[in-house]
Amino acid sequence: MDIKLPHSLLKEFLDTSAKPEQIAKSLSLCGPTVDRITSYKNDYLYHIEVITNRIDSASAFGIAREAATILPQFKYKAKIKNDPYQLNLKQLGDLPKNSPLNLQILDNSLIPRFTAITLTNTQVKPSPKPVQDWLNLSGLRPLNNVIDITNELTLKYGQPVHAFDLDKIANQQLILRESKKGESITTLDGRVHHLQGGDIVIQDGSGRLIDLCGIMGGQLSAIDSNTKNVLLFVQTYEPKHIRKTSLYTQERTLAAQIFEKKPDPELVLPTLIAGVKLLEQRANATISSNLIDLYPNPTKTKTINLDLNWLNQFAGINLKPTQVSSILKKLGFTSKSITSQVLRVTVPSWRHHDINLTQDLAEEIIRIHGYFRLPSNLPSTTIPHTQTDPLLKHEYQARSYLSNLGFTEIYNLSLVSQDLFRQTNHKLEPKLKLSNPLSGEFEYLRTSLIPSLLSNLDANRGKVAPPLRLFELAHTYHSTKSTLPDETSTLSFITYGLDFFTTKGYLEALAKHLHLNLKFKPLAKKTPPFITKHSASVYYHNHHLGTLGIISPEVTSRFNLNQTVVCADLNFAKLSLQINPILNFKPIPQYPSIYEDITLTSTKPVADLITQLENAHPLIVSVEYLTSHQHNHTFRLEFNDPQGNLTQAKVTQIKNNLKS
Amino acid sequence: MDDLEIIKKQATQQIQSAKDLEALDKLQTQYLGRKGLVNQYLSSLPKEALKSQGRLINQTKQYIDQLIAKRQKSLQQVQQEIDVTIPGILPPIGHLHLITQTIKEIEDIFTKLGFVRRRYPEVETDWYYAEGLNIPKDHPARDDQETFYINPEVVLTAHTSNGQLREMELLKKPPIKMINISKTYRRQASNTHSPMFHQFEGLVVDKDINITHLIGVSNFFVQSYFGSDRQVRLRPHHFQFTEPSFEVDINCHLCKGRGELNGKSCPVCKAGWLELGGAGMVHPQVLKNGGINPDRFTGFAFGWGIERLIMMKHNVTNNLRDLYTSDLRFLNQS
């Protein structure tokens, strides 16, 4: 979460010679990141990123505690002051005997610590200007002195506080419980929330909900200009409840963001004491009740043993025991030497949830020492006995080769819309629909790359003159019986303004480059969006690898394309498996070859004629297709005899046998 | 082989190797002149053979004539000047996408250090994506990852860290050195963010791996990729699956890490440094989840964005989405 902290508010808790720039830079290197500083009339504002596990530093005092430890590392003097942990009940003097309210907590697990006290004779009026400035700079709205105090305490200590108008609470009765599904509450921002149930709420004596706990107070019990009796209210809540409620009601208030991250219950009472003192000062209020403080399971102190040898090995440097314990001490940890190399470290209450392992302690010590001061070494690890999947290499070969042939590579999003796939008559899989899409535009994982490539052609109309050659090599997704879908490496390339055989030539060239001998068969079954009669199934032996063909005009017209679109769509994962990792070279023939052209008249597919010629005689070593004219097909044959020189007579004899 | 064949063969050879037009003129006379070799052959034939050979002789004459004309043309061309500044006839020019090129570059750099390249699932179970990486279901850390869900148990990965657990399971014991390069997804779409992008995850697990090794490998990478005058620094950060966690910065190339240029603050960086991405020492719980004993082995991991690297290196654009454009006027620049 990001907080805004005025420099003048930080100075309430920090004595230092360092300037704001220097404070920001030092903090960023060893602690919370200060994203930037903005300056105002007579103040500066730090924009600070507070990380999830350091809710203790989401406040002026928390940042001061970090700064007091970090700044001396950069030779700036720094000390904390006004430490709230020093506040105690003595400072409130003798309290009245009466209880502030009639309280029932129906489930103790919802509320680790609960404190409350009432004040009377409160004079509601605007806050002093400096306080209003702090709130404004921090992104909060000044309202009146009482409400402002609750917000100011949150900014100062990172402990949210709430104040009710006691006279608006029926029978001064509070019942703290989980909400039931269907109950509703109007919060201070005027929004009505229909609750899902399981939210922490407070109901008053007449059964009305007056607080959506940890998120925002209810309107019913709000402080207004006539308020006299104030119920001051400080606690911590069970964090998961708060998070759930805050997310679904979309009330990401500062309080909610703090409560969901387990703030320190030990800070609850000091915050209440500080609040009472401010109400006395600024609203002339006087305490009118005893204090309720329910804290059934106080945080137990936690100790961790830290082995200094381990620490130095983990850090890769040598830190002296004195350095280590001095850093820990400044951060509020206490440490005791058990042996010369082992420290028993006690974790302060505000770091209870965050520090559990020696690694956590190592982080504290090394970050304050300064990660940026560590040397740079390459590990001397041996190389693991494992290989990269050849598919990854083949993908790169195919990409490079296609780009060398003149194709431009495109990266399209894997997420597509239903509309796009409707246009190409491709099927989407309902099982691969996102449950929380950003919009209909990115809703499904794509099962084919072709629709995206067609829209790429459309997008380039009038910008780049045809012919166009595009390709994409990416995963397509296909649901399976198991939990996860197949992610299939897929290669699709598309030409615009070129004919079928030119495009087929590209595919054959790619196959040659990968040393794969592909076979093409007429498309046996309808495969949208291809024209069945102008498309082929692509095979390697009996492995079906994909389709090559002309896209139907019905589809291309939807993409405003008026020239021929030819597309190859290949299961590249399958294709990659057929690539032989080892090339076998044959020796060059010892005797010269003789080349002869031959024309056959046949209605068979040319591919069959080629196979027929290849297998017609052992001395025919290669067959090259030349041209066709109606049913007459011309081929160039290469004859070669490994045993000796071929005679023209022998070749003529073989040729004549072929013709008959 | 009769004489005519010999004449033909000889003529072919001599004409094709004639050095200049003068030599060609001589050959013309030598073969086709009134007293040339062809006529000599003709007159050497007995009368009765003339009929049968006549056609053959004429064909030979024509053949030699064509040969001379062809050679003449090419010799004339050599003597004529051509404008060499006229552009050549281009074959089609294709382009590898910048992302492909960058992935290859990254792979090559890490291969030098003995890393093996992997590609782990983009569509992943919640365990590998989060739970196994120490991010429980209702943890606030999930806020940082605006995640796309297929169903409550299956997500599109928002980071490549799922590769950590998968690699540990695959190899079963250290040494582990892998780089997982994959598509990643976040529920975001803005000028600077695309819902799909690419990340690469490095993982090293072995005995005695420490923080300085993470710095060493990061430096090796940025110096190989950006140039030898670049270096990294670490700052504290937090991820659930590393402890400690870092933000890795690189010094800015423009202001040389000073943070200012001509008395103004540098337009490119924040105070002399640019953020590269996150890294950390693998959390003991993650090692355990991957079946590796955290008391015997330590490791480090990092996960950085590929588009980010491209933007930092090629000044491509401030708009990451340009990399996903289908506009060839942009793509054909790569």
Side-chain angles (χ1 to χ4, degrees), chain A residues 386-400:
Chain A
T386 177
Q387 293 300 320
T388 293
D389 184 349
L391 169 66
L392 298 173
K393 189 180 97 185
H394 296 151
E395 283 185 357
Y396 186 73
Q397 284 177 321
R399 288 178 150 126
S400 297

Side-chain angles (χ1 to χ4, degrees), chain B residues 7-25:
Chain B
I7 291 170
K8 207 170 156 181
K9 250 202 156 111
Q10 206 178 315
T12 309
Q13 200 245 313
Q14 289 181 336
I15 290 166
Q16 288 185 336
S17 56
K19 277 206 293 287
D20 49 33
L21 293 169
E22 209 176 323
L24 202 59
D25 264 350

Side-chain angles (χ1 to χ4, degrees), chain B residues 236-251:
Chain B
H237 199 67
H238 174 73
F239 304 106
Q240 284 290 114
F241 37 94
T242 48
E243 191 64 53
S245 308
F246 316 104
E247 190 73 67
V248 182
D249 295 340
I250 335 181
N251 55 346

Side-chain angles (χ1 to χ4, degrees), chain A residues 602-635:
Chain A
S602 165
T603 53
K604 284 186 189 166
V606 168
D608 294 4
L609 297 178
I610 293 174
T611 313
Q612 191 181 312
L613 288 169
E614 280 171 342
N615 301 324
H617 196 282
L619 295 184
I620 298 177
V621 294
S622 79
V623 179
E624 184 189 349
Y625 168 80
L626 296 177
T627 72
S628 296
H629 186 68
Q630 287 165 333
H631 293 309
N632 306 312
H633 309 290
T634 308
F635 305 91

Side-chain angles (χ1 to χ4, degrees), chain A residues 232 418 466:
Chain A
L232 191 66
Q418 202 168 1

Side-chain angles (χ1 to χ4, degrees), chain A residues 386, chain B residues 116 118 120 162-172 176-178 203:
Chain A
T386 177
Chain B
V116 63
R118 301 283 191 223
Y120 284 117
N162 57 321
Q164 292 187 28
L165 291 166
R166 288 194 172 266
E167 184 74 4
M168 292 176 204
E169 281 178 14
L170 180 80
L171 292 195
K172 296 192 175 63
I176 290 173
K177 266 181 153 180
M178 72 118 201
L203 174 70

Side-chain angles (χ1 to χ4, degrees), chain B residues 84-95:
Chain B
V84 294
T85 66
I86 291 171
I89 298 158
L90 278 184
I93 309 273
H95 303 271

